[in-house]
Amino acid sequence: MNQFRVFTRWRPLSTSDSPQTEIKRKCEEHANSRISMSLVPPTKSIRPWTSEAAFTHVFEATDHNKCVFDAVVAPTLPEVLKGHCCNLFAYGHSGSGKSHTIMGYDFSNPDEFGMCLAAAHHLFEKLETLNEGNHAAALQLGIGLRMYELRNKTAFDLLNGRSSCHVREGYDGQTHIRGETEVLENGKVRVRPVVTKPCWSFDDFRKELLAGLALRATGTSTVHDQSSRTHAVLELEIVTRALLDVRDAVIERQSELVPVAKRATDIYLEENVKGVVQTPEGKYIPNPDYQIDQARIDAAEGQKAEFESFVKKAEDHVEEIMRSSRHDCLGGKLVFVDLAGSEYYHDKAASVSRPKQSAQEQQEGRQINTDLLALKEVIRARALKQARIPFRSSPLTMVLRGHFMGSSTVNSHSAMILTVSPSSEQFAATMNTLKYGNLVGLAGGDKTAR
Ligand SMILES: Nc1ncnc2c1ncn2[C@@H]1O[C@H](COP(=O)(O)OP(=O)(O)OP(=O)(O)O)[C@@H](O)[C@H]1O
């Protein structure tokens, strides 16, 4: 099976909802073991809706987090331990249970851990075994945690005081998320990526996760709050101290290269400006009184090439550490994406009403809509094994590029959980979420996917 899995999770009715208002729904299993869902609208003015056979499984309100973890995340852990990358998305209306699912609200009861904490718990159990007999501290395996919120082309680093970082495509064709430029002594210019917090035990991990969550407005859902207007990304990567150190060395060598490269450019420009004069007619001609100092230009270029070679050497060192690791799991990643609230998804075919939005919210809504449609197209292109995957279509898919590219298989170890409310008052929001999930399930299915 090589399909992108889409799950639905019904949250329980909240105490403020009356039980009579529960949405009537039906599931049907099809020959391909996929499920279709039908919803009966609370009023006659809305047409009943039936999805296609797009869903892998439907969790009911009584299913707790452990049940969801066992079915959705646990099967991906062997892939992560082989050094591959698996992605898990949560999508739903504000208050439908995305944070409950991904982050969890109980950080001490393993049965109620969110997917992220439960995954770390299981990974640390495995890493402890792999670390046995390995006495070199620099080679002890742990989990590097990165946490950021994404809005348009800006990422807010939750493990670095919510500082803002830019999402850009580098000269190497890779997407880089980089913080503000720091100007250091001797003209060195350093641009750090999103912070990776190394965690060498489960308790370290839990502490960092809680610190990151404290900077995120979750759990106080209103459709206008901040968390519903950003995508939250949590990356868990299997690392060693040695790997983190050599990555830091690359950043250090790059910062040393900046002033040297600038000096080479300045010298080249200076010599060439001195080497020409302007005629009364406004033309530039070689300056008869100045001979361009080519040796000076070459010396500066030579120094630049030397510093470039230091960067290359540091990058090779990272490759070498990855290649020579005794453990396949080094660099393995599990990425959780708590997508922006489904109230921002605009499906032309959906005749559902949406809450009134301000001009800024409408603009953000358009961007979120672009992100979500781009994500669906990326999933479809991967399912179709297309040569060109449209990662550049949105900042979200640009950020996910590295994670999707690091996946072992086309789609099968990535999944989406749709969180939905059973309250009739939330019917429109629930149907909108399921409509998007239906499209993603079809797109990530087989070659006949639409
Ligand atoms: N499956 C569930 N079982 C029990 N409680 C749940 C479940 N899903 C959600 N809840 C509860 O409902 C409330 C809202 O859920 P949650 O904060 O996860 O919503 P959300 O989709 O993340 O909203 P937002 O995007 O605004 O942060 C929380 O108190 C949460 O504990």
Side-chain angles (χ1 to χ4, degrees), residues 9-12 14 60-61 63-65 92-101 105 112 216-223 225 227-228 338-341 343 419:
R9 183 179 197 189
W10 291 96
R11 53 156 290 166
S14 72
E60 289 303 332
D63 290 329
H64 46 62
N65 269 353
H93 190 263
S94 273
S96 60
K98 297 185 298 295
S99 301
H100 181 88
T101 304
Y105 285 108
E112 277 306 337
R216 196 166 187 241
T218 49
T220 51
S221 310
T222 72
V223 287
D225 77 5
S227 71
S228 65
D338 181 347
L339 291 163
E343 54 274 21
T419 54

Side-chain angles (χ1 to χ4, degrees), residues 61-302:
T62 45
D63 290 329
H64 46 62
N65 269 353
K66 181 169 184 314
C67 173
V68 179
F69 175 82
D70 288 344
V72 184
V73 185
T76 68
L77 298 185
E79 283 299 303
V80 176
L81 289 163
K82 281 186 210 155
H84 299 142
C85 179
C86 299
N87 304 301
L88 182 82
F89 301 88
Y91 181 61
H93 190 263
S94 273
S96 60
K98 297 185 298 295
S99 301
H100 181 88
T101 304
I102 297 284
M103 326 288 185
Y105 285 108
D106 187 335
F107 300 93
S108 49
N109 171 12
D111 283 354
E112 277 306 337
F113 282 173
M115 300 303 111
C116 174
L117 198 58
H121 199 225
H122 281 72
L123 286 174
F124 270 112
E125 273 175 13
K126 296 279 180 210
L127 297 184
E128 261 170 42
T129 315
L130 294 173
N131 279 332
E132 273 168 19
N134 174 12
H135 301 298
L139 300 181
Q140 291 278 314
L141 296 159
I143 296 179
L145 176 65
R146 290 181 281 275
M147 274 178 90
Y148 50 92
E149 286 180 316
L150 192 64
R151 182 187 293 177
N152 290 322
K153 283 204 158 194
T154 306
F156 299 94
D157 191 344
L158 297 174
L159 296 178
N160 190 18
R162 227 173 171 280
S163 61
S164 57
C165 303
H166 307 286
V167 177
R168 287 214 186 91
E169 190 175 280
Y171 63 92
D172 52 1
Q174 305 293 318
T175 303
H176 299 278
I177 309 179
R178 298 246 164 93
E180 293 302 327
T181 304
E182 298 168 66
V183 181
L184 309 170
E185 78 287 359
N186 307 328
K188 287 203 279 182
V189 174
R190 190 159 57 203
V191 190
R192 286 197 184 278
V194 165
V195 162
T196 301
K197 289 281 182 182
C199 308
W200 308 115
S201 70
F202 175 68
D203 283 340
D204 283 354
F205 183 91
R206 180 165 38 196
K207 209 171 92 224
E208 294 298 350
L209 179 72
L210 286 169
L213 289 179
L215 292 184
R216 196 166 187 241
T218 49
T220 51
S221 310
T222 72
V223 287
H224 298 293
D225 77 5
Q226 292 280 317
S227 71
S228 65
R229 282 189 273 148
T230 56
H231 310 292
V233 184
L234 281 86
E235 299 177 16
L236 281 61
E237 183 185 13
I238 300 180
V239 295
T240 57
R241 182 74 267 165
L243 177 63
L244 296 176
D245 286 349
V246 291
R247 282 185 183 162
D248 279 349
V250 172
I251 295 166
E252 209 46 44
R253 297 296 86 80
Q254 284 170 337
S255 73
E256 289 161 2
L257 168 63
V258 173
V260 177
K262 182 176 178 305
R263 186 169 164 270
T265 308
D266 289 349
I267 288 176
Y268 175 83
L269 289 175
E270 198 184 305
E271 288 296 331
N272 280 282
V273 167
K274 283 189 201 162
V276 290
V277 283
Q278 198 173 15
T279 63
E281 297 79 42
K283 274 190 176 172
Y284 288 96
I285 56 165
N287 184 351
D289 301 326
Y290 188 79
Q291 178 64 43
I292 289 181
D293 188 347
Q294 191 58 43
R296 189 175 168 234
I297 296 174
D298 291 347
E301 283 296 329

